[in-house]
Amino acid sequence: MQATTIIAAKRDNKPLSTSQINWFVQHYTQGDIPDYQASALLMAIYLNGMTRSETFDLTMALANSGDRIDLNDITDFAVDKHSSGGVGDKTSLVVLPLVAAMGVPVAKMSGRGLGFTGGTLDKLESIPGFNINLTPTQFKAQAQQTGLVLAGQTGDLAPADGKLYALRDVTATVESIPLIASSIMSKKIAGGAKGIVLDVKTGAGAFMKTLDDARQLAQIMVAIGEDGGTELDVTAVISDMNQPLGQAVGNAIELREALDTLRGGGPPAFREHCILIARHMMMLAGRGQQWTEEEATSDALEAQLDNGAALTKFREMVVAQGGDPAVVDDPTQLEIAPVQHVLAAAADSYVARIAADEVGVAAMRLGAGRPTKDVAIDHSVGLTVHVNVGEKVTQGQPLVTIHAHADSRVTECINALEAAIDLSQDAVKPLPLFYDVIQEA
């Protein structure tokens, strides 16, 4: 088998066989195939796409390119979630302890943020002493002992995906939906997941800008689950990211909001979002037998937030990973930048637009995000967005509170926020939380 033959086949829009895909991924991972040939194949895939079977084969080839974590001694059906990212998306901090409090073990590997999207690991590192770097043995042991672990990628998981993603980033092939789908799903499968709930964002602050693109990505990933047989179940939820999710945008400030939600409070829309994602995770874990939809939503999940059980589970995880539980008991101990500035409504009006991507850029200018991977972030800075699209506001009402360390950063942030928020004299409809749920047939 030769790399040029495989490249030429995809160039000519011919489907690749399972053996061709496996061979190419294996030899590229080993360093036998140079980057320029892998780049040529990526561009051919970008231009011509992949069939359903090709996408599944690529996913499994990536998943099998390195270590795979076996969670069968912890649970016979490990459930995980993945969000395609966005502004103010701290759902994992609430959903995972919520599901774990229901008796469903959750062992999740997360990533850091890049650009204006926030990373779960960055938020967790707002907790003094919290250790995200666990060995595979520690990762599994904690999952078994506490039923909840949330850490950085452990082991040599899907190394082919890491190599190919770096190449996609510099060859203008990131936007290929089959490549996105196989990248996401391969890491989840390698991490031991058998049930996967995908929160696919769409809108200004999402990678998928249009609903059609988000639905296509969701459908492809659900199809990968179908093709995986009885050992892989996938549910995809398409949610809105035209405005920030919740009120907090930053790291420590988002952690505070997550802890407030775990105490039974939090912004109502964010709470509703978390409960829906948790419900789908439970339905996959129960495989249609352990819980009914009504029990998972209104009875059990609401109770775990209101009675403090989910917060207790989060605290157990923090202690197990070396974090200071004092900030869980009293979130005001989390460091928040001291300089505050309020951006207020200039007149009585309606909120017509809060562009999530531009709000994210404003927070990044404060230091809450990183333009490149090697930039250190400031966990203490961020934004509190007090309003949602569709709300009526009065003159002088706070729209956004800026939390910064220096007045110079505030000025730069205000300019970005003023471009991100539009007010209207006419009434505006609120944005939906969700657009669609896609499940296996």
Side-chain angles (χ1 to χ4, degrees), residues 89-93 96 107-114 117-134 139 149-154 188 250-252 254-255 314 317 321 368 370 377-379:
D89 184 6
K90 74 286 292 179
T91 53
S92 289
L93 302 179
L96 302 189
K108 177 174 174 58
M109 284 172 279
S110 289
R112 299 187 182 280
L114 183 60
T117 59
T120 300
L121 298 184
D122 299 313
K123 300 177 196 358
L124 284 171
E125 287 188 325
S126 301
I127 302 172
F130 192 92
N131 179 24
I132 63 165
N133 299 309
L134 303 181
F139 183 83
V149 58
L150 184 50
Q153 183 167 306
T154 182
K188 291 298 169 187
N251 291 284
E254 286 192 41
L255 179 58
F314 184 88
M317 178 188 72
Q321 293 182 231
R370 51 172 69 84
I377 63 170
D378 185 340
H379 292 92

Side-chain angles (χ1 to χ4, degrees), residues 137-331:
T137 301
Q138 291 171 325
F139 183 83
K140 289 185 64 174
Q142 183 176 319
Q144 198 158 32
Q145 292 164 8
T146 69
L148 177 62
V149 58
L150 184 50
Q153 183 167 306
T154 182
D156 189 24
L157 298 181
D161 175 67
K163 288 188 68 175
L164 287 175
Y165 188 86
L167 205 55
R168 287 165 56 202
D169 196 36
V170 295
T171 56
T173 54
V174 169
E175 291 83 356
S176 166
I177 289 181
L179 293 177
I180 294 169
S182 59
S183 174
I184 291 170
M185 294 295 289
S186 65
K187 290 192 287 286
K188 291 298 169 187
I189 294 169
K194 295 182 179 179
I196 305 170
V197 177
L198 302 161
D199 185 0
V200 181
K201 310 288 190 186
T202 184
F207 195 70
M208 297 289 112
K209 301 298 182 185
T210 69
L211 183 56
D212 285 345
D213 283 347
R215 186 173 283 117
Q216 183 183 358
L217 175 61
Q219 288 170 338
I220 289 175
M221 291 190 289
V222 169
I224 291 171
E226 290 178 342
D227 295 344
T230 58
E231 288 300 304
L232 188 59
D233 289 344
V234 181
T235 295
V237 175
I238 301 177
S239 63
D240 183 77
M241 189 41 70
N242 284 298
Q243 64 182 347
L245 181 59
Q247 295 182 337
V249 180
N251 291 284
I253 192 171
E254 286 192 41
L255 179 58
R256 274 194 184 186
E257 185 167 277
L259 290 169
D260 187 30
T261 306
L262 287 169
R263 281 184 167 79
F270 175 63
R271 176 184 169 108
E272 180 183 345
H273 189 110
C274 291
I275 288 174
L276 184 134
I277 300 299
R279 185 192 78 194
H280 284 297
M281 289 182 70
M282 287 181 56
M283 295 301 292
L284 288 184
R287 310 197 80 177
Q289 299 173 2
Q290 193 166 348
W291 296 279
T292 67
E293 184 173 344
E294 291 77 15
E295 287 170 340
T297 302
S298 58
D299 295 339
L301 291 170
E302 291 276 2
Q304 301 308 307
L305 291 177
D306 294 337
N307 67 18
L311 179 66
T312 298
K313 186 58 69 173
F314 184 88
R315 191 182 193 279
E316 289 177 7
M317 178 188 72
V318 170
V319 171
Q321 293 182 231
D324 184 359
V327 300
V328 179
D329 301 333
D330 180 11

Side-chain angles (χ1 to χ4, degrees), residues 3-20:
T4 52
T5 303
I6 295 171
I7 295 167
K10 181 48 63 178
R11 178 201 64 195
D12 297 338
N13 204 17
K14 296 176 181 177
L16 302 179
S17 68
T18 303
S19 60
Q20 285 177 313

Side-chain angles (χ1 to χ4, degrees), residues 95-111:
V95 169
L96 302 189
L98 176 54
V99 171
M102 287 294 298
V104 177
V106 182
K108 177 174 174 58
M109 284 172 279
S110 289

